[in-house]
PDB file of all heavy atoms in Angstrom:
ATOM      1  N   LYS B  55      -9.739   2.685   6.600  1.00 98.00           N
ATOM      2  CA  LYS B  55      -9.229   3.549   5.534  1.00 98.00           C
ATOM      3  C   LYS B  55      -9.745   4.990   5.690  1.00 98.00           C
ATOM      4  O   LYS B  55      -8.982   5.947   5.602  1.00 98.00           O
ATOM      5  CB  LYS B  55      -9.706   3.004   4.205  1.00 98.00           C
ATOM      6  CG  LYS B  55      -8.662   2.828   3.178  1.00 98.00           C
ATOM      7  CD  LYS B  55      -9.191   1.976   2.054  1.00 98.00           C
ATOM      8  CE  LYS B  55      -9.382   2.762   0.783  1.00 98.00           C
ATOM      9  NZ  LYS B  55      -9.684   1.846  -0.361  1.00 98.00           N
ATOM     10  N   VAL B  56     -11.052   5.098   5.889  1.00 98.00           N
ATOM     11  CA  VAL B  56     -11.640   6.436   6.020  1.00 98.00           C
ATOM     12  C   VAL B  56     -11.112   7.122   7.279  1.00 98.00           C
ATOM     13  O   VAL B  56     -10.704   8.279   7.245  1.00 98.00           O
ATOM     14  CB  VAL B  56     -13.192   6.358   6.044  1.00 98.00           C
ATOM     15  CG1 VAL B  56     -13.781   7.745   6.302  1.00 98.00           C
ATOM     16  CG2 VAL B  56     -13.714   5.810   4.704  1.00 98.00           C
ATOM     17  N   ALA B  57     -11.084   6.385   8.392  1.00 98.00           N
ATOM     18  CA  ALA B  57     -10.667   6.981   9.668  1.00 98.00           C
ATOM     19  C   ALA B  57      -9.223   7.481   9.594  1.00 98.00           C
ATOM     20  O   ALA B  57      -8.906   8.607  10.006  1.00 98.00           O
ATOM     21  CB  ALA B  57     -10.836   5.994  10.821  1.00 98.00           C
ATOM     22  N   ILE B  58      -8.332   6.657   9.043  1.00 98.00           N
ATOM     23  CA  ILE B  58      -6.938   7.083   8.987  1.00 98.00           C
ATOM     24  C   ILE B  58      -6.775   8.243   7.982  1.00 98.00           C
ATOM     25  O   ILE B  58      -6.001   9.171   8.201  1.00 98.00           O
ATOM     26  CB  ILE B  58      -5.967   5.907   8.641  1.00 98.00           C
ATOM     27  CG1 ILE B  58      -4.543   6.301   9.017  1.00 98.00           C
ATOM     28  CG2 ILE B  58      -6.043   5.483   7.205  1.00 98.00           C
ATOM     29  CD1 ILE B  58      -3.548   5.158   8.919  1.00 98.00           C
ATOM     30  N   GLY B  59      -7.572   8.208   6.918  1.00 98.00           N
ATOM     31  CA  GLY B  59      -7.564   9.304   5.960  1.00 98.00           C
ATOM     32  C   GLY B  59      -7.941  10.625   6.619  1.00 98.00           C
ATOM     33  O   GLY B  59      -7.298  11.655   6.428  1.00 98.00           O
ATOM     34  N   GLU B  60      -8.995  10.594   7.437  1.00 98.00           N
ATOM     35  CA  GLU B  60      -9.429  11.794   8.118  1.00 98.00           C
ATOM     36  C   GLU B  60      -8.373  12.288   9.124  1.00 98.00           C
ATOM     37  O   GLU B  60      -8.109  13.487   9.218  1.00 98.00           O
ATOM     38  CB  GLU B  60     -10.748  11.535   8.893  1.00 98.00           C
ATOM     39  CG  GLU B  60     -11.957  11.198   8.022  1.00 98.00           C
ATOM     40  CD  GLU B  60     -12.415  12.355   7.134  1.00 98.00           C
ATOM     41  OE1 GLU B  60     -11.962  13.492   7.352  1.00 98.00           O
ATOM     42  OE2 GLU B  60     -13.185  12.104   6.199  1.00 98.00           O
ATOM     43  N   ALA B  61      -7.786  11.351   9.841  1.00 97.00           N
ATOM     44  CA  ALA B  61      -6.793  11.743  10.844  1.00 97.00           C
ATOM     45  C   ALA B  61      -5.548  12.354  10.160  1.00 97.00           C
ATOM     46  O   ALA B  61      -4.986  13.347  10.656  1.00 97.00           O
ATOM     47  CB  ALA B  61      -6.403  10.556  11.699  1.00 97.00           C
ATOM     48  N   CYS B  62      -5.123  11.773   9.055  1.00 97.00           N
ATOM     49  CA  CYS B  62      -3.969  12.315   8.349  1.00 97.00           C
ATOM     50  C   CYS B  62      -4.296  13.662   7.737  1.00 97.00           C
ATOM     51  O   CYS B  62      -3.447  14.589   7.741  1.00 97.00           O
ATOM     52  CB  CYS B  62      -3.510  11.348   7.243  1.00 97.00           C
ATOM     53  SG  CYS B  62      -2.822   9.824   7.908  1.00 97.00           S
ATOM     54  N   THR B  63      -5.506  13.808   7.228  1.00 96.00           N
ATOM     55  CA  THR B  63      -5.954  15.083   6.664  1.00 96.00           C
ATOM     56  C   THR B  63      -5.873  16.175   7.722  1.00 96.00           C
ATOM     57  O   THR B  63      -5.384  17.279   7.493  1.00 96.00           O
ATOM     58  CB  THR B  63      -7.381  14.952   6.126  1.00 96.00           C
ATOM     59  OG1 THR B  63      -7.370  14.021   5.036  1.00 96.00           O
ATOM     60  CG2 THR B  63      -7.914  16.276   5.619  1.00 96.00           C
ATOM     61  N   ASN B  64      -6.315  15.853   8.936  1.00 95.00           N
ATOM     62  CA  ASN B  64      -6.228  16.826  10.033  1.00 95.00           C
ATOM     63  C   ASN B  64      -4.789  17.138  10.413  1.00 95.00           C
ATOM     64  O   ASN B  64      -4.447  18.286  10.695  1.00 95.00           O
ATOM     65  CB  ASN B  64      -6.975  16.294  11.260  1.00 95.00           C
ATOM     66  CG  ASN B  64      -8.478  16.528  11.138  1.00 95.00           C
ATOM     67  OD1 ASN B  64      -8.931  17.353  10.337  1.00 95.00           O
ATOM     68  ND2 ASN B  64      -9.255  15.822  11.934  1.00 95.00           N
ATOM     69  N   ALA B  65      -3.953  16.098  10.424  1.00 95.00           N
ATOM     70  CA  ALA B  65      -2.551  16.304  10.773  1.00 95.00           C
ATOM     71  C   ALA B  65      -1.917  17.281   9.757  1.00 95.00           C
ATOM     72  O   ALA B  65      -1.165  18.184  10.134  1.00 95.00           O
ATOM     73  CB  ALA B  65      -1.783  14.981  10.797  1.00 95.00           C
ATOM     74  N   ILE B  66      -2.256  17.125   8.502  1.00 94.00           N
ATOM     75  CA  ILE B  66      -1.693  18.004   7.466  1.00 94.00           C
ATOM     76  C   ILE B  66      -2.275  19.417   7.573  1.00 94.00           C
ATOM     77  O   ILE B  66      -1.565  20.405   7.508  1.00 94.00           O
ATOM     78  CB  ILE B  66      -1.975  17.410   6.070  1.00 94.00           C
ATOM     79  CG1 ILE B  66      -1.177  16.124   5.864  1.00 94.00           C
ATOM     80  CG2 ILE B  66      -1.637  18.439   4.961  1.00 94.00           C
ATOM     81  CD1 ILE B  66      -1.517  15.378   4.598  1.00 94.00           C
ATOM     82  N   ARG B  67      -3.615  19.483   7.749  1.00 92.00           N
ATOM     83  CA  ARG B  67      -4.304  20.772   7.726  1.00 92.00           C
ATOM     84  C   ARG B  67      -4.089  21.606   8.974  1.00 92.00           C
ATOM     85  O   ARG B  67      -3.861  22.816   8.933  1.00 92.00           O
ATOM     86  CB  ARG B  67      -5.800  20.514   7.637  1.00 92.00           C
ATOM     87  CG  ARG B  67      -6.266  20.257   6.255  1.00 92.00           C
ATOM     88  CD  ARG B  67      -7.444  21.199   6.033  1.00 92.00           C
ATOM     89  NE  ARG B  67      -8.236  20.808   4.915  1.00 92.00           N
ATOM     90  CZ  ARG B  67      -9.502  20.469   5.013  1.00 92.00           C
ATOM     91  NH1 ARG B  67     -10.096  20.386   6.187  1.00 92.00           N
ATOM     92  NH2 ARG B  67     -10.178  20.203   3.941  1.00 92.00           N
ATOM     93  N   HIS B  68      -4.203  20.918  10.114  1.00 89.00           N
ATOM     94  CA  HIS B  68      -4.173  21.668  11.379  1.00 89.00           C
ATOM     95  C   HIS B  68      -2.917  21.348  12.197  1.00 89.00           C
ATOM     96  O   HIS B  68      -2.615  22.063  13.139  1.00 89.00           O
ATOM     97  CB  HIS B  68      -5.376  21.307  12.242  1.00 89.00           C
ATOM     98  CG  HIS B  68      -6.677  21.365  11.521  1.00 89.00           C
ATOM     99  ND1 HIS B  68      -7.189  22.535  11.023  1.00 89.00           N
ATOM    100  CD2 HIS B  68      -7.554  20.374  11.181  1.00 89.00           C
ATOM    101  CE1 HIS B  68      -8.362  22.276  10.442  1.00 89.00           C
ATOM    102  NE2 HIS B  68      -8.598  20.978  10.511  1.00 89.00           N
ATOM    103  N   GLY B  69      -2.240  20.264  11.868  1.00 81.00           N
ATOM    104  CA  GLY B  69      -1.231  19.756  12.790  1.00 81.00           C
ATOM    105  C   GLY B  69       0.203  19.920  12.378  1.00 81.00           C
ATOM    106  O   GLY B  69       1.087  19.372  13.028  1.00 81.00           O
ATOM    107  N   CYS B  70       0.451  20.638  11.299  1.00 72.00           N
ATOM    108  CA  CYS B  70       1.840  20.793  10.917  1.00 72.00           C
ATOM    109  C   CYS B  70       2.191  22.269  10.868  1.00 72.00           C
ATOM    110  O   CYS B  70       1.507  23.072  10.266  1.00 72.00           O
ATOM    111  CB  CYS B  70       2.108  20.115   9.567  1.00 72.00           C
ATOM    112  SG  CYS B  70       2.070  18.317   9.720  1.00 72.00           S
ATOM    113  N   ASN B  71       3.280  22.589  11.533  1.00 68.00           N
ATOM    114  CA  ASN B  71       3.679  23.987  11.663  1.00 68.00           C
ATOM    115  C   ASN B  71       4.468  24.472  10.476  1.00 68.00           C
ATOM    116  O   ASN B  71       4.194  25.495   9.882  1.00 68.00           O
ATOM    117  CB  ASN B  71       4.531  24.165  12.914  1.00 68.00           C
ATOM    118  CG  ASN B  71       3.659  24.220  14.155  1.00 68.00           C
ATOM    119  OD1 ASN B  71       2.575  24.766  14.106  1.00 68.00           O
ATOM    120  ND2 ASN B  71       4.138  23.657  15.243  1.00 68.00           N
ATOM    121  N   LYS B  72       5.466  23.720  10.140  1.00 72.00           N
ATOM    122  CA  LYS B  72       6.384  24.168   9.106  1.00 72.00           C
ATOM    123  C   LYS B  72       5.950  23.680   7.731  1.00 72.00           C
ATOM    124  O   LYS B  72       5.131  22.766   7.625  1.00 72.00           O
ATOM    125  CB  LYS B  72       7.797  23.650   9.418  1.00 72.00           C
ATOM    126  CG  LYS B  72       8.402  24.292  10.638  1.00 72.00           C
ATOM    127  CD  LYS B  72       9.486  23.435  11.246  1.00 72.00           C
ATOM    128  CE  LYS B  72       8.917  22.303  12.091  1.00 72.00           C
ATOM    129  NZ  LYS B  72       9.870  21.257  12.423  1.00 72.00           N
ATOM    130  N   ILE B  73       6.529  24.263   6.706  1.00 73.00           N
ATOM    131  CA  ILE B  73       6.159  23.884   5.344  1.00 73.00           C
ATOM    132  C   ILE B  73       6.613  22.473   5.036  1.00 73.00           C
ATOM    133  O   ILE B  73       5.869  21.659   4.528  1.00 73.00           O
ATOM    134  CB  ILE B  73       6.741  24.887   4.315  1.00 73.00           C
ATOM    135  CG1 ILE B  73       6.018  26.229   4.494  1.00 73.00           C
ATOM    136  CG2 ILE B  73       6.521  24.362   2.883  1.00 73.00           C
ATOM    137  CD1 ILE B  73       6.256  27.206   3.380  1.00 73.00           C
ATOM    138  N   ASN B  74       7.853  22.165   5.326  1.00 77.00           N
ATOM    139  CA  ASN B  74       8.330  20.805   5.042  1.00 77.00           C
ATOM    140  C   ASN B  74       8.295  19.901   6.258  1.00 77.00           C
ATOM    141  O   ASN B  74       9.232  19.189   6.562  1.00 77.00           O
ATOM    142  CB  ASN B  74       9.739  20.849   4.452  1.00 77.00           C
ATOM    143  CG  ASN B  74       9.697  21.225   2.992  1.00 77.00           C
ATOM    144  OD1 ASN B  74       8.813  20.748   2.267  1.00 77.00           O
ATOM    145  ND2 ASN B  74      10.611  22.053   2.576  1.00 77.00           N
ATOM    146  N   ASP B  75       7.162  19.921   6.956  1.00 88.00           N
ATOM    147  CA  ASP B  75       7.031  19.157   8.174  1.00 88.00           C
ATOM    148  C   ASP B  75       6.691  17.708   7.849  1.00 88.00           C
ATOM    149  O   ASP B  75       6.341  17.367   6.716  1.00 88.00           O
ATOM    150  CB  ASP B  75       5.897  19.760   9.006  1.00 88.00           C
ATOM    151  CG  ASP B  75       6.195  19.644  10.489  1.00 88.00           C
ATOM    152  OD1 ASP B  75       7.168  18.945  10.838  1.00 88.00           O
ATOM    153  OD2 ASP B  75       5.469  20.257  11.289  1.00 88.00           O
ATOM    154  N   THR B  76       6.839  16.843   8.832  1.00 93.00           N
ATOM    155  CA  THR B  76       6.409  15.461   8.689  1.00 93.00           C
ATOM    156  C   THR B  76       5.511  15.117   9.869  1.00 93.00           C
ATOM    157  O   THR B  76       5.427  15.860  10.848  1.00 93.00           O
ATOM    158  CB  THR B  76       7.602  14.484   8.716  1.00 93.00           C
ATOM    159  OG1 THR B  76       8.257  14.631   9.991  1.00 93.00           O
ATOM    160  CG2 THR B  76       8.574  14.762   7.603  1.00 93.00           C
ATOM    161  N   TYR B  77       4.799  14.037   9.759  1.00 95.00           N
ATOM    162  CA  TYR B  77       4.015  13.523  10.888  1.00 95.00           C
ATOM    163  C   TYR B  77       4.157  12.019  10.933  1.00 95.00           C
ATOM    164  O   TYR B  77       4.559  11.396   9.945  1.00 95.00           O
ATOM    165  CB  TYR B  77       2.562  14.002  10.826  1.00 95.00           C
ATOM    166  CG  TYR B  77       1.801  13.542   9.628  1.00 95.00           C
ATOM    167  CD1 TYR B  77       0.875  12.490   9.698  1.00 95.00           C
ATOM    168  CD2 TYR B  77       1.985  14.131   8.383  1.00 95.00           C
ATOM    169  CE1 TYR B  77       0.162  12.046   8.607  1.00 95.00           C
ATOM    170  CE2 TYR B  77       1.295  13.705   7.273  1.00 95.00           C
ATOM    171  CZ  TYR B  77       0.379  12.663   7.386  1.00 95.00           C
ATOM    172  OH  TYR B  77      -0.308  12.221   6.277  1.00 95.00           O
TER     173      TYR B  77
END
Side-chain angles (χ1 to χ4, degrees):
Chain B
K55 229 166 111 171
V56 174
I58 197 172
E60 296 294 347
C62 292
T63 296
N64 280 342
I66 292 172
R67 277 231 197 118
H68 312 294
C70 288
N71 281 324
K72 291 157 280 166
I73 291 192
N74 281 319
D75 215 351
T76 61
Y77 61 103

